[in-house]
Amino acid sequence: MPHFYAECTENIREAARLPELFAKVNQALADTGIFPLGGIRSRAIWLDTWQMADGKQDYAFVHMTLKIGAGRSLEDRQKVGEMLFGLIKTHFSELMTRRYLGLSFTMEELDPILNYKSNNVHNLFKTKE
C-alpha cells in the first residue's frame, strides 16, 4: 500500500493526462518516507456511463481515492491528503479553466486485520534501502 485510484469520465481521457498524474502521485508518496515504495500503485477506472448535475452540459469528473494500510497517525494522513489534493488541483488546473470539471479526493485506511496481500516487489527495494 498505498493504492491510488482515479475514476474518470471518458470525455476527458486524453486531457486528463493520467500517466503524468500517476508519476507525480507515486513520486510524492515515495518522498513522504512513510509508504513502502514496492507497494505504491496508481490506476485509472474509466467511466463510459455517468450522469452529473443536470446532465445538460459536457460535465466531467475525477474522483480519486488513496487506500492505505492502517497504522499512520492522523497528522501524517492529513499531511499526505492535503499534499496530494494540492498536487491533484495543480495537475488539473489548466483543464478546469476550459471545461466543467469536478475533482474529489478521499483517503481510506484499510482494516489492519482484514487486509490480505502478497507482494514480492518489496524484496527489490529492501536491498536498495
Side-chain angles (χ1 to χ4, degrees):
M1 304 305 294
H3 292 197
F4 183 77
Y5 298 77
E7 298 173 62
C8 302
T9 55
E10 181 68 36
N11 60 344
I12 59 168
R13 186 179 280 264
E14 296 301 319
R17 302 178 350 263
L18 289 188
E20 292 175 39
L21 175 64
F22 292 166
K24 294 174 197 173
V25 166
N26 283 25
Q27 187 61 58
L29 290 171
D31 289 348
T32 67
I34 62 173
F35 300 108
L37 184 58
I40 299 172
R41 299 179 194 152
S42 293
R43 62 185 66 101
I45 302 165
W46 291 103
L47 306 171
D48 63 2
T49 306
W50 72 93
Q51 171 89 23
M52 186 174 172
D54 60 7
K56 294 181 180 179
Q57 303 289 328
D58 185 30
Y59 302 116
F61 67 84
V62 184
H63 174 69
M64 291 146 285
T65 303
L66 181 67
K67 294 185 181 188
I68 64 170
R72 280 102 185 162
S73 70
L74 175 59
E75 181 182 17
D76 281 346
R77 287 179 285 151
Q78 194 168 11
K79 284 180 186 175
V80 168
E82 290 170 3
M83 177 270 298
L84 276 186
F85 196 54
L87 184 153
I88 289 162
K89 289 191 302 183
T90 299
H91 178 82
F92 286 104
S93 63
E94 193 275 326
L95 182 59
M96 195 168 254
T97 66
R98 295 187 283 126
R99 65 170 308 119
Y100 294 110
L101 177 64
L103 299 175
S104 56
F105 171 71
T106 188
M107 186 183 308
E108 297 175 8
E109 185 177 46
L110 300 176
D111 187 284
I113 298 170
L114 301 174
N115 180 13
Y116 308 93
K117 51 191 167 246
S118 177
N119 179 350
N120 66 0
V121 177
H122 290 293
N123 295 334
L124 173 66
F125 297 102
K126 281 183 183 175
T127 60
K128 293 181 180 181
E129 293 175 357

